[in-house]
Amino acid sequence: MIYNEEFETMPREVIKSLQVKRLQQVLERVYHTVGFYKKSFDAAKVKPDDIKSIADMKKLPFITRKDLRDNYPFGLFSVPMSSVVRLHASSGTSGRSAVFGYTKRDIETWSDLIARCLVAAGITKNDIIHNAFGYGLFTGGLGLHYGAEKIGASVIPMSGGNAKRQIMILQDFGPTVICCTPSYALHLAEEGKALGVDMKSLKLRVGIFGAEPWNKSTRDEIEKAFGITALDLFGLSEVIGPGMAMECLEGRNGMHIFEDHFIVETINPQTGEVLPEGSEGELVFTTLTKEAGPLIRYRSGDISRLITEPCRCGRSHVKMERVLKRSDDMLIIRGINIFPSQIEAILVDIEGLQPNYQIIIDKVGALDSLDLQVEVSDKICSDSGGVKELQKIEKRIVKDMKDYLGIAARVKLVQPNTLQKTGAKVIDKRRY
Ligand code: ADP
Ligand code: ZN
């Protein structure tokens, strides 16, 4: 089944010309309403008028996550706040987080995209959806929620955490669909097993998973544990949130990117050069319809490959392979995006620490764990009353990590000069 037959099955030439038309409109708009774009287009000596085709896009400069942070909080909005009805944000301390605004129409667009995803997964108004993506400033929870209501399904706004209660609701409410990160699904399966609940006997039929990398063997494991079909959902908050791309039931070899709303390019992450369609590279997204925060050539940092062969489902939109690699040092820990620089920013604000630290990421059962080792200063070490002081610092780090980044960390303070200065700041022991 296809939610928006007209747009999702458009012949490719029609999609391309719709993209060019919408691109020209959005370029005009951002050039005249967002100071950042005027400056960056002028610096690159390019005017909206110069862009007559998709191929011309390479004349336009990229926008990066750094630009989003530099314009924190609302510097990239292209509409007045009176037109903004929703704000979401990434984690991070002030100036190290990014803010995403939505107009009423943006919320409509986003709901429509999620509705497409759900219908691509065979979900109808007769389904009950257990939505365990995080609600709040994250885009996952509310993003899914509005799309689910749009198709008339019954939504359980579960959010993350509290596995026992999740399992109770799964048993008592009998949802037919579950949405969460793949690792959380595995965690629920483990908890279920410990509680003696047969997860296969639940009414669940299909699961929609995303927000972090996962591979085929994780898919098999989830499908086996719950007796469901597991599908991949992709999106990033900067662009709009989840619902930018979705796997269809018929294809199951990549996610259709909804090209009437986004242009996707593949670039060489080192040189920025545009690569031929089908090459592996970093995906770059341009929003065509977003009103509050249009993005022109946003470097996602996600490495993937586009699949242009026609799909059995009848959708004409290009597909992207599952994302397993990043072009930068962004870490996804329990579905939350974190940069080592954000952790460093927390540490430098705490007196008594050296800027030397090491982040160790691993899995405890199905869930990610984060261990942080930080060197203390010589002064703290030699002070009397040191132990108490050290405990205080440890507690403060744990609290700031939780408050600003939303992540539970195990923190260990170590003597000065114990962590090799040149050693890896991040050790990621997880395997995808
Ligand atoms: P989300 O709620 O989707 O995680 P964020 O904006 O917090 O939204 O994070 C976006 C990033 O999460 C993407 O750039 C990508 O690295 C990762 N991501 C999202 N969905 C997937 C997916 N299905 N597979 C792999 N990585 C994903
Ligand atoms: Zn398909």
Side-chain angles (χ1 to χ4, degrees):
M1 271 206 321
I2 295 179
Y3 179 72
N4 192 331
E5 187 99 33
E6 183 192 349
F7 283 92
E8 291 181 75
T9 62
M10 239 176 203
R12 296 225 42 91
E13 329 75 73
V14 184
I15 295 180
K16 296 266 176 202
S17 60
L18 178 70
Q19 285 185 324
V20 174
K21 193 176 116 213
R22 289 184 167 176
L23 175 66
Q24 287 169 333
Q25 285 166 354
V26 72
L27 291 177
E28 272 303 324
R29 193 152 61 78
V30 296
Y31 188 72
H32 293 108
T33 53
V34 186
F36 167 85
Y37 282 111
K38 175 154 188 359
K39 245 195 249 157
S40 81
F41 288 11
D42 286 350
K45 300 203 173 22
V46 56
K47 291 257 180 307
D49 266 358
D50 301 334
I51 310 302
K52 309 258 191 264
S53 67
I54 307 277
D56 284 341
M57 286 182 79
K58 58 176 175 298
K59 300 178 190 163
L60 295 164
F62 295 116
I63 180 167
T64 64
R65 200 177 286 257
K66 179 172 182 306
D67 297 318
L68 262 62
R69 289 181 186 163
D70 290 349
N71 288 281
Y72 175 88
F74 310 136
L76 290 172
F77 285 14
S78 69
V79 296
M81 193 52 92
S82 54
S83 302
V84 172
V85 299
R86 175 98 64 84
L87 295 163
H88 282 284
S90 66
S91 56
T93 48
S94 176
R96 292 198 160 264
S97 141
V99 181
F100 323 111
Y102 299 78
T103 64
K104 253 197 179 121
R105 209 189 79 187
D106 291 336
I107 297 287
E108 266 300 304
T109 306
W110 192 14
S111 312
D112 185 87
L113 290 170
I114 293 286
R116 292 182 187 189
C117 298
L118 299 177
V119 171
I123 297 162
T124 70
K125 66 179 173 49
N126 298 320
D127 279 295
I128 303 178
I129 303 180
H130 182 103
N131 185 14
F133 277 119
Y135 280 68
L137 283 177
F138 293 123
T139 46
L142 284 170
L144 258 290
H145 188 104
Y146 276 60
E149 285 188 348
K150 185 145 193 171
I151 64 162
S154 323
V155 202
I156 309 169
M158 198 65 219
S159 201
N162 206 345
K164 278 208 183 88
R165 182 121 202 273
Q166 302 249 3
I167 291 169
M168 181 191 95
I169 302 264
L170 285 169
Q171 290 179 295
D172 295 353
F173 293 12
T176 45
V177 180
I178 184 164
C179 306
C180 59
T181 60
S183 53
Y184 197 66
L186 287 178
H187 176 63
L188 287 177
E190 276 174 3
E191 289 283 305
K193 203 167 170 193
L195 293 169
V197 177
D198 176 12
M199 300 306 261
K200 284 193 287 296
S201 69
L202 298 170
K203 293 221 175 82
L204 291 176
R205 187 182 85 243
V206 58
I208 297 185
F209 305 106
E212 67 185 10
W214 58 309
N215 57 20
K216 167 105 182 31
S217 76
T218 307
R219 158 135 68 196
D220 293 344
E221 217 178 313
I222 294 174
E223 293 196 328
K224 214 165 124 223
F226 289 90
I228 58 172
T229 304
L231 297 169
D232 203 356
L233 167 78
F234 174 86
L236 38 146
S237 310
E238 295 87 330
V239 178
I240 199 159
M244 290 162 58
M246 174 72 193
E247 209 170 28
C248 60
L249 272 178
E250 297 84 350
R252 303 255 273 159
N253 67 333
M255 299 168 272
H256 290 283
I257 302 173
F258 298 116
E259 289 180 286
D260 48 330
H261 292 286
F262 313 104
I263 294 177
V264 57
E265 301 167 272
T266 315
I267 63 160
N268 175 329
Q270 269 82 46
T271 61
E273 173 206 1
V274 177
L275 300 172
E277 228 169 23
S279 320
E280 181 179 283
E282 179 178 343
L283 299 186
V284 170
F285 291 98
T286 294
T287 63
L288 295 173
T289 50
K290 194 143 172 256
E291 289 184 327
L295 284 183
I296 308 301
R297 303 197 86 203
Y298 181 68
R299 291 190 57 160
S300 68
D302 291 316
I303 305 282
S304 178
R305 188 196 306 272
L306 299 182
I307 305 169
T308 46
E309 285 88 58
C311 185
R312 262 179 289 173
C313 70
R315 287 177 185 79
S316 51
H317 295 189
V318 73
K319 289 198 263 193
M320 56 182 274
E321 275 181 4
R322 52 168 80 248
V323 174
L324 294 174
K325 275 192 276 178
R326 299 263 324 158
S327 65
D328 58 14
D329 60 350
M330 186 177 96
L331 302 163
I332 305 184
I333 303 169
R334 297 194 177 195
I336 301 174
N337 306 343
I338 293 177
F339 287 88
S341 59
Q342 290 178 305
I343 295 180
E344 195 163 321
I346 285 177
L347 299 178
V348 295
D349 266 358
I350 300 177
E351 221 176 295
L353 297 178
Q354 306 267 32
N356 265 340
Y357 63 92
Q358 191 166 55
I359 301 164
I360 301 156
I361 304 154
D362 206 345
K363 287 215 181 257
V364 175
L367 293 182
D368 299 333
S369 65
L370 187 156
D371 283 276
L372 184 61
Q373 300 203 355
V374 193
E375 283 182 8
V376 291
S377 66
D378 289 315
K379 183 170 172 297
I380 291 279
C381 263
S382 51
D383 271 0
S384 57
V387 177
K388 260 214 177 116
E389 187 60 21
L390 291 177
Q391 282 174 343
K392 222 169 95 191
I393 295 177
E394 247 173 39
K395 273 203 185 125
R396 163 95 190 269
I397 301 174
V398 172
K399 186 167 185 316
D400 282 2
M401 291 282 289
K402 186 84 203 155
D403 289 349
Y404 290 117
L405 303 180
I407 196 92
R410 283 184 302 218
V411 175
K412 190 171 159 215
L413 297 179
V414 296
Q415 300 280 338
N417 304 315
T418 23
L419 302 172
Q420 282 177 330
K421 284 210 175 60
T422 49
K425 286 231 180 299
V426 179
I427 299 172
D428 194 340
K429 298 181 174 168
R430 299 170 298 181
R431 294 267 173 281
Y432 297 119

